[in-house]
Amino acid sequence: MSPTTLLAALLMLSAAAFYFGRQRAFAIAGKAGGTRHLHSRPTYYGLLTALWCGIPALLIFVLWLGFEDKIITNLVIADLPNAIRHLPENRLNLVVNDIKNLVTGNIVAAEVDATMQAGAAHYRSLQATSNAALAVVALSLGIVGAVVVRSRISRTLRARNLVEQVIKYILIACSCIAILTTIGIVLSVLYEALRFFKAIPITDFLFGLKWSPQMAIRADQVGSSGAFGAIPVFLGTLLISAIAMAVAVPVGLMSAIYLAEYANRRFRDVAKPLLEILAGIPTVVYGFFAAITVAPFIRNSGSVLGLEVSSESALAAGLVMGIMIIPFVSSLSDDVINAVPQALRDGAYSLGATRSEAIKQVVLPAALPGIVGSVLLAVSRAIGETMIVVMAAGLAANLTLNPFKTVTTVTVQIVTLLVGDQEFDSPKTLAAFALGLVLFIVTLFLNVIALKVVRKYREQYE
Amino acid sequence: MNKADLIRAEEKKTPKRTIDVVRAGLAKRYRAEGRFKLYGLGAIIISLLCLAILFISIVGKGYPAFQQTFIQLEVFFDPAVLGHENLSSANFPGLVKKTLRNMFPDVKGRSDKRALYQLVSTGAAFQLREMILKDPGLVGKTVSVWVPADDDVDMLMKGHFDRKMSESGGRLNNKQLAWIDALSRQGKIEKRFNTIFFTSGDSREPELAGIGGAASGTVLTLVVTLILSFPIGVAAAVYLEEFASKNRWTDLIEVNVNNLAAVPSIVFGLLGLGVFLNFFGLPRSAPLVGGLVLTLMTLPIIIIASRAALQSVPPSIREGALGVGASKMQMVMHHVLPLALPGMLTGTIIGMARALGETAPLLMIGMVAFIVDIPTGFTDPSTVLPVQIYLWADSPERAFVERTSAAIIVLLAFLIIMNAAAIILRKKFERRW
């Protein structure tokens, strides 16, 4: 039975359990003289039966599928001929990959020989056994659960309380997924990053000035020194983010001020959703726009002015990223400015201030912490933005602050290092995780500060 | 005499009231006021202008892709060619070439013939094969078939190539141009609505590439995302808003949710690669894994929106339910949740719209492969629309620029539909208590 059909079967079994539990409750109630003699309403008895039928079986199902692949792979490896089993780990992984490709019917990299065919057949038979065993275990667990609960149903069974208890645990489990996600991110990134730092010292990574992650396969190979100094990458990220913020902060802030303080209702109702469209456009679209329209435009205008502009200049990527971030700054600042109490404005007007004077000297200083928070959030978004820079910025890690030159960013490097075939023991691949770790820590830091500032600011005026 | 005395002496000469000082500065201050207001308006106009340029440039580049150049061939399904027992492996490319030779009998010489064959897409042979396999009775008959033209011909017909350029090393030579002109005189070459673009999978040939595969991958991925993220998100929000007591643990969850909403999406890709692929050994490029990653990404959005929706339900509803003897769970399930559901759905649609446009995390889990087949299951290798756009944007052929823009138009259309649905939902069910 394939996992999908098994899942469907389990759901149907639970539905059946619900029906039987409810029937049972009705039967007992009929003997006792009506459902009001039951502790709970009949539906709760059905639900209790269904929950005890479905949940243990589903848990087994998920855990089994989660670990099935590892166990089967190890079993297959154990049965491979000695010559293959004693290969170095990376070669062994290649063989295992080929066997898996054979099983799924994908294209196989190496030549297929008899041992691999045997391995694949072994894999297939183990998988079939495992699926069958899973089906038997899960279904029988479900049936046992349902039968046991059904036999326990009586007038005094506190079914509602039990069901509510279970639902509450489910709710708690769901809300813990946020924490699990964070832990998962930290662990997965940290684990590979630590392996990277074993090969490359962390100080070389953080303070080195040369970034060229191509590792030499042969010792005498030219141009693949494998230098992992990330300063040029960080600098490129900062340069592009700075250009983006130079566009987004003034434009976004002024739009927010106009929308909050000057615009009438009708203008606001039209302009605000239109601005938010900018935030809803996928970043891959911005990337295409930057690469096809903006970058050539900048290069051509540069050559008219006699400037030498690279076709993948930091300026193009930064400008388009700035456009993307405008609505982000403006909508957050708009909220912040609206939260400034009207009394402050009225006070300024009563002293004879014009509107712009009231804004500049009273509203903005009062809103400043909130605006700073929103700008920080925007910075964190600019640093983590991927598609625009992947499509419009370059790969060459130049140590420069010239916006007309090509620079590369953390996210670009992560994508180029990890897309395509990877082996998980070369520093080249692991470097991506080290960069990811830095990215995560920096954005986390910015977010925590920004959220704290914004929250504190809100409390101040509430 | 010092400076202050001088000023005092000045004031004595012409007594000035405060109001005069104010009046004197008023014009300047009003000008500053006007300027400031203009800056604000200018900022909005600049942003909207960027939006307009973006849309115009993409729609302008993309709309021709909805049409495609086709060439009419009078194909004689020669029994000599198709006489084999195995029809599907017959020489269909040869059939196309023969038809072309018959249409232009005066073409001699190998290089000229090869140039002639290049007018028609390689997909033409597959099209003929499909026809024969569907209806073997066509063998021995002459049928007129419209087959897709090569992308270079397509670009020429749409006016993207300069004809004069072609004489000096362009992509089409003079003879090919003459043949195309001859065809258009006979009405055997024309632009038609491009169904290939919507139905077929990816291809190296621009004229055969379509978004069908990517679209179905997107649907599968989003189905996984929706099935997982909506219930989990709502459940988490209900717990945090209705049941959780304020303590350190719930504070931690809250901080986590807010942070995850702002974590760069590519980091979620690293999580998917590290945990789902490397640790659990789930298949690469599968919509299942894509859906899992996008679920984790959209969960914070849905949780935050759902909590806002729950907060907007007035306490009197809760107290009324508790007052007539409902348990806390019944109060939430029967009264609060139904009232908050429209708001939660709005948040979910917005979260799904974000998931629809997401590219970076999916690159990490290998959904970036060149996949021709249209995926049908949750573990089939597949790609999604934004990744398809990214892949095409990298391709050098001029025709792919058009296809990319057209795919973007389709993607944006879906996004606009989803967001409009969210707005309508909000307008319709918005309640002021």
Side-chain angles (χ1 to χ4, degrees):
Chain A
M1 200 182 270
S2 83
T4 326
T5 28
L6 180 59
L7 193 64
L10 279 178
L11 290 180
M12 296 218 319
L13 191 67
S14 295
F18 172 80
Y19 178 75
F20 286 124
R22 212 172 76 116
Q23 281 309 104
R24 174 85 182 149
F26 271 122
I28 289 173
K31 262 182 250 163
T35 49
R36 68 199 165 85
H37 293 280
L38 293 173
H39 170 272
S40 314
R41 306 197 48 204
T43 313
Y44 282 104
Y45 292 95
L47 273 179
L48 188 67
T49 327
L51 287 176
W52 274 102
C53 167
I55 290 175
L58 276 181
L59 280 181
I60 289 281
F61 177 81
V62 171
L63 287 178
W64 194 296
L65 287 186
F67 292 100
E68 184 188 39
D69 182 66
K70 286 229 139 147
I71 295 171
I72 293 185
T73 310
N74 282 335
L75 283 175
V76 170
I77 291 174
D79 270 17
L80 285 175
N82 261 335
I84 297 180
R85 256 198 310 154
H86 293 194
L87 283 173
E89 195 176 347
N90 50 354
R91 296 273 311 278
L92 184 62
N93 281 342
L94 283 181
V95 175
V96 171
N97 264 338
D98 279 343
I99 291 178
K100 279 186 192 164
N101 282 339
L102 261 184
V103 172
T104 47
N106 281 341
I107 303 151
V108 183
E111 264 180 58
V112 181
D113 55 19
T115 45
M116 273 173 56
Q117 288 285 14
H122 191 89
Y123 193 101
R124 253 185 232 121
S125 79
L126 279 176
Q127 203 169 31
T129 323
S130 153
N131 277 343
L134 172 61
V136 170
V137 169
L139 285 177
S140 50
L141 201 65
I143 291 170
V144 166
V147 168
V148 167
V149 173
R150 187 177 178 276
S151 69
R152 291 261 182 97
I153 290 175
S154 67
R155 263 179 56 200
T156 51
L157 181 72
R158 295 157 64 81
R160 180 175 60 74
N161 305 48
L162 291 173
V163 168
E164 287 182 356
Q165 203 66 27
V166 173
I167 292 180
K168 199 169 163 187
Y169 285 129
I170 295 176
L171 294 185
I172 293 177
C174 287
S175 62
C176 287
I177 285 185
I179 292 185
L180 285 182
T181 311
T182 310
I183 295 175
I185 290 175
V186 171
L187 283 187
S188 62
V189 177
L190 198 63
Y191 175 68
E192 311 282 1
L194 286 179
R195 280 174 64 194
F196 172 73
F197 292 135
K198 260 183 214 151
I200 312 285
I202 187 164
T203 44
D204 287 9
F205 172 71
L206 286 181
F207 306 113
L209 293 181
K210 191 161 184 298
W211 177 268
S212 78
Q214 293 305 325
M215 287 296 273
I217 297 169
R218 300 187 315 272
D220 55 341
Q221 203 169 329
V222 184
S224 338
S225 48
F228 291 95
I231 289 286
V233 183
F234 296 151
L235 203 67
T237 312
L238 287 184
L239 176 63
I240 290 186
S241 308
I243 296 172
M245 297 317 289
V247 174
V249 170
V251 176
L253 199 56
M254 284 313 291
S255 329
I257 291 171
Y258 188 85
L259 283 178
E261 301 283 335
Y262 287 107
N264 57 16
R265 231 195 105 109
R266 268 177 60 195
F267 184 80
R268 210 180 137 86
D269 280 353
V270 176
K272 220 178 162 190
L274 278 178
L275 273 185
E276 271 160 19
I277 290 181
L278 273 177
I281 292 175
T283 53
V284 68
V285 177
Y286 281 112
F288 181 70
F289 179 61
I292 296 285
T293 309
V294 178
F297 175 73
I298 288 179
R299 200 181 50 177
N300 292 342
S301 359
S303 62
V304 167
L305 296 174
L307 288 168
E308 197 178 315
V309 183
S310 147
S311 61
E312 293 177 327
S313 61
L315 193 60
L319 277 181
V320 175
M321 195 191 278
I323 296 174
M324 186 198 85
I325 294 177
I326 289 172
F328 208 67
V329 176
S330 82
S331 77
L332 280 172
S333 310
D334 192 14
D335 291 349
V336 169
I337 290 171
N338 274 327
V340 173
Q342 186 60 30
L344 288 183
R345 287 186 194 92
D346 293 345
Y349 295 149
S350 70
L351 289 174
T354 63
R355 260 186 161 172
S356 66
E357 283 161 355
I359 294 166
K360 277 189 269 191
Q361 289 166 22
V362 176
V363 177
L364 283 186
L368 195 63
I371 291 173
V372 169
S374 70
V375 170
L376 283 182
L377 278 179
V379 171
S380 120
R381 176 155 268 210
I383 291 176
E385 174 43 47
T386 311
M387 290 323 291
I388 295 177
V389 280
V390 166
M391 294 168 83
L395 288 173
N398 292 325
L399 193 62
T400 174
L401 280 177
N402 182 352
F404 301 122
K405 283 257 175 67
T406 304
V407 293
T408 188
T409 74
V410 172
T411 46
V412 172
Q413 288 303 320
I414 294 178
V415 169
T416 40
L417 293 177
L418 283 184
V419 167
D421 291 327
Q422 327 131 356
E423 20 180 350
F424 268 84
D425 45 4
S426 91
K428 187 186 151 197
T429 311
L430 297 177
F433 285 90
L435 288 174
L437 184 66
V438 174
L439 181 67
F440 181 66
I441 291 173
V442 169
T443 51
L444 186 73
F445 187 68
L446 285 173
N447 293 342
V448 170
I449 294 181
L451 289 173
K452 267 229 166 92
V453 169
V454 170
R455 188 192 267 189
K456 198 155 201 183
Y457 166 81
R458 279 213 186 110
E459 279 162 4
Q460 202 181 333
Y461 287 120
E462 254 167 18
Chain B
M1 260 212 276
N2 61 18
K3 208 177 176 188
D5 287 340
L6 262 177
I7 294 172
R8 213 167 292 141
E10 188 82 0
E11 277 178 355
K12 253 184 209 148
K13 257 187 269 163
T14 50
K16 215 176 202 181
R17 290 171 305 162
T18 321
I19 190 74
D20 294 328
V21 179
V22 172
R23 284 217 178 102
L26 216 50
K28 198 177 158 202
R29 283 170 62 202
Y30 279 154
R31 279 203 301 277
E33 167 78 22
R35 271 203 307 276
F36 190 74
K37 197 173 167 183
L38 214 62
Y39 292 151
L41 194 61
I44 292 181
I45 289 173
I46 287 175
S47 333
L48 296 184
L49 209 63
C50 290
L51 183 70
I53 293 173
L54 180 78
F55 268 91
I56 290 170
S57 102
I58 283 173
V59 173
K61 284 201 176 80
Y63 83 91
F66 295 113
Q67 285 206 323
Q68 168 100 344
T69 310
F70 283 82
I71 294 176
Q72 191 181 32
L73 298 182
E74 302 289 335
V75 183
F76 173 57
F77 287 104
D78 194 347
V81 180
L82 304 170
H84 304 288
E85 286 158 30
N86 194 351
L87 266 180
S88 62
S89 65
N91 184 9
F92 287 100
L95 201 63
V96 175
K97 286 176 186 171
K98 200 173 160 197
T99 313
L100 280 170
R101 279 201 302 273
N102 290 342
M103 282 169 80
F104 295 97
D106 48 343
V107 176
K108 296 279 181 304
R110 278 176 72 122
S111 63
D112 278 1
K113 278 183 187 164
R114 200 176 304 135
L116 179 64
Y117 303 151
Q118 275 166 4
L119 292 184
V120 172
S121 160
T122 48
F126 293 104
Q127 192 182 333
L128 296 186
R129 178 164 165 253
E130 292 293 309
M131 282 177 69
I132 285 292
L133 289 184
K134 213 197 238 165
D135 182 11
L138 285 176
V139 176
K141 290 181 188 156
T142 303
V143 187
S144 102
V145 191
W146 286 94
V147 298
D150 191 67
D151 60 311
D152 289 333
V153 179
D154 188 38
M155 288 294 105
L156 181 84
M157 291 297 288
K158 285 170 183 168
H160 293 306
F161 283 155
D162 193 356
R163 272 171 176 261
K164 290 198 182 107
M165 269 284 291
S166 327
E167 287 171 18
S168 53
R171 294 194 57 110
L172 294 169
N173 64 29
N174 275 343
K175 284 183 183 152
Q176 283 173 314
L177 288 178
W179 295 326
I180 293 169
D181 289 340
L183 281 173
S184 55
R185 268 196 304 278
Q186 296 164 15
K188 287 191 168 176
I189 185 164
E190 67 175 36
K191 281 187 279 183
R192 306 177 134 203
F193 183 70
N194 189 357
T195 48
I196 298 174
F197 178 69
F198 291 99
T199 53
S200 70
D202 198 4
S203 169
R204 295 275 184 233
E205 303 292 331
E207 70 272 11
L208 300 177
I211 56 169
S216 91
T218 298
V219 169
L220 290 170
T221 310
L222 285 188
V223 164
V224 175
T225 311
L226 184 63
I227 286 178
L228 290 173
S229 65
F230 181 61
I232 295 178
V234 169
V238 165
Y239 177 74
L240 290 176
E241 205 52 49
E242 304 287 335
F243 293 98
S245 48
K246 200 93 182 109
N247 57 25
R248 218 177 252 174
W249 181 247
T250 45
D251 255 11
L252 181 70
I253 295 180
E254 245 194 274
V255 171
N256 257 303
V257 170
N258 288 335
N259 271 327
L260 284 178
V263 163
S265 58
I266 192 165
V267 173
F268 286 97
L270 290 176
L271 166 80
L273 179 60
V275 173
F276 296 133
L277 296 188
N278 285 351
F279 187 73
F280 286 115
L282 293 172
R284 279 177 76 85
S285 318
L288 176 68
V289 184
L292 284 173
V293 171
L294 292 181
T295 299
L296 296 182
M297 229 192 67
T298 47
L299 260 184
I301 302 173
I302 296 180
I303 293 178
I304 292 171
S306 302
R307 289 187 67 174
L310 285 169
Q311 274 163 7
S312 72
V313 177
S316 58
I317 303 270
R318 295 184 178 85
E319 281 148 17
L322 292 178
V324 295
S327 72
K328 202 162 181 194
M329 190 67 74
Q330 284 171 329
M331 175 263 281
V332 172
M333 294 291 171
H334 299 173
H335 300 279
V336 179
L337 207 52
L339 289 175
L341 209 56
M344 294 174 162
L345 281 177
T346 314
T348 307
I349 295 175
I350 290 170
M352 295 305 287
R354 233 193 105 185
L356 172 64
E358 201 51 69
T359 322
L362 301 178
L363 297 183
M364 298 286 97
I365 56 164
M367 291 187 91
V368 66
F370 173 74
I371 287 151
V372 179
D373 297 329
I374 292 176
T376 51
F378 290 111
T379 49
D380 289 354
S382 61
T383 182
V384 294
L385 258 183
V387 179
Q388 187 70 73
I389 290 168
Y390 167 65
L391 284 171
W392 282 351
D394 260 3
S395 304
E397 284 96 340
R398 175 67 182 76
F400 268 124
V401 173
E402 197 180 280
R403 300 258 156 176
T404 315
S405 303
I408 289 177
I409 294 174
V410 174
L411 181 67
L412 288 180
F414 272 107
L415 280 174
I416 288 171
I417 289 172
M418 283 169 88
N419 281 309
I423 291 170
I424 290 170
L425 202 67
R426 192 187 295 159
K427 282 259 153 68
K428 187 154 186 196
F429 290 98
E430 198 174 43
R431 268 167 106 159
R432 297 252 173 226
W433 300 92

